Amino acid sequence: MKATWNGEVIAQSADTVVVEGNHYFPADSVNPAYLIPSDTHTTCPWKGEASYHTLRVGGQDNRDAAWHYPAPKDAARQIAGRIAFWKGVTISQD
């Protein structure tokens, strides 16, 4: 699978985990040059607390377009160490 935004590949991996329709990519398959840590956090009752990143590509920002669960609850342990995307990021087969 491949995650693209603003004409650039943000992440690419054959090993994604799909939860609630979102592909979670292994953290090492995501290009860290495009990620800027955000202060945004949300809480999911069964996954835990999510932390967000803004994507910066070609001088444009996509605020909080990537998220991960630094310490997911046991029910979501399969997404530990993985990052997912939304807000216009295209997920496609590579």
Side-chain angles (χ1 to χ4, degrees), residues 29-69:
S29 73
V30 179
N31 187 334
Y34 297 130
L35 299 177
I36 300 168
S38 169
D39 291 332
T40 302
H41 298 277
T42 59
T43 301
C44 171
W46 71 274
K47 290 186 294 250
E49 184 178 63
S51 296
Y52 289 78
H53 287 85
T54 292
L55 296 179
R56 180 169 290 160
V57 177
Q60 293 186 331
D61 288 355
N62 189 347
R63 183 160 172 72
D64 298 337
W67 77 91
H68 72 285
Y69 289 85

